[in-house]
């Protein structure tokens, strides 16, 4: 939408989810494109990440990896993609300042475990991922917040 026709200012959640959606367009995984934005308590972006193979390897969208043939949530050990959350954490200058993670798709169990070892208090996501009940239970059991927005 052109800025001149805008009638309302987006909420912080809407703004950062739009940013995560833009970041996801750089993803190179043939199964799913995911974007992630890490934000501190002052609503400043700390890092971004998208999913794809390690630097220097052929992109899965060009040369499908062995995991490309599996349904979502399966064959994860065959997938060569580094998750968006993992790439964002690799770029983050201080994981002990993270307040909120915005992801286009909810984090998997492995990414939630990594995020539990940061100061992140809140995960905001748009799309459900496999094993979502177990992931949500783990995150909430640590007294953290979970927001599913459309």
């Amino acid at each position: 939408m052109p800025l001149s026709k805008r009638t309302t200012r987006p909420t912080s959640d809407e703004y950062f989810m739009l940013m995560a959606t833009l970041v996801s367009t750089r993803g190179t995984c043939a199964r799913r494109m995911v974007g992630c934005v890490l934000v501190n308590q002052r609503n400043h972006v700390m890092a971004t990440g998208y999913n794809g193979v390690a630097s220097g390897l052929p992109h899965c969208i060009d040369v499908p990896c062995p995991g490309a043939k599996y349904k979502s949530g399966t064959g994860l050990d065959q997938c060569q993609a580094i998750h968006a959350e993992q790439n964002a954490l690799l770029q983050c200058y201080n994981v002990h300042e993270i307040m909120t993670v915005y992801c286009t798709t909810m984090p998997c169990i492995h990414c939630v475990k990594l995020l539990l070892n940061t100061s992140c208090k809140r995960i905001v996501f748009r799309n459900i991922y496999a094993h979502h009940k177990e992931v949500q239970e783990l995150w909430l059991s640590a007294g953290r917040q979970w927001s599913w927005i459309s």
Side-chain angles (χ1 to χ4, degrees):
M1 170 188 322
L3 292 177
S4 62
K5 299 209 178 199
R6 187 176 65 147
T7 58
T8 60
R9 183 176 187 222
T11 66
S12 292
D13 283 353
E14 292 167 339
Y15 173 75
F16 291 117
M17 189 56 68
L18 284 169
M19 191 178 292
T21 301
L22 178 61
V23 171
S24 76
T25 64
R26 294 285 297 158
T28 62
C29 177
R31 294 200 300 180
R32 172 187 312 274
M33 294 172 74
V34 179
C36 175
V37 177
L38 306 179
V39 178
N40 69 14
Q41 67 183 7
R42 298 184 67 209
N43 274 342
H44 292 176
V45 173
M46 300 178 70
T48 64
Y50 54 85
N51 63 326
V53 297
S55 181
L57 293 177
H59 296 305
C60 189
I61 55 176
D62 298 328
V63 180
C65 77
K69 63 185 175 188
Y70 291 91
K71 290 183 180 179
S72 180
T74 64
L76 299 179
D77 56 335
Q78 299 296 310
C79 180
Q80 295 178 0
I82 300 167
H83 291 189
E85 302 90 338
Q86 295 167 342
N87 275 322
L89 287 169
L90 285 169
Q91 294 180 43
C92 186
Y93 56 87
N94 187 347
V95 297
H96 301 294
E97 290 183 12
I98 301 168
M99 180 59 69
T100 305
V101 173
Y102 292 89
C103 294
T104 56
T105 299
M106 68 178 284
C108 72
I109 191 77
H110 303 291
C111 289
V112 162
K113 289 176 184 179
L114 289 172
L115 291 167
L116 282 170
N117 236 19
T118 72
S119 63
C120 182
K121 302 292 183 226
R122 187 167 172 250
I123 294 174
V124 180
F125 63 93
R126 176 169 287 136
N127 301 307
I128 294 287
Y129 185 62
H131 318 291
H132 64 276
K133 290 180 184 176
E134 297 88 346
V135 174
Q136 181 178 4
E137 286 175 13
L138 177 60
W139 185 257
L140 294 177
S141 74
R144 310 216 184 165
Q145 298 175 3
W146 186 260
S147 298
W148 179 20
I149 64 172
S150 55

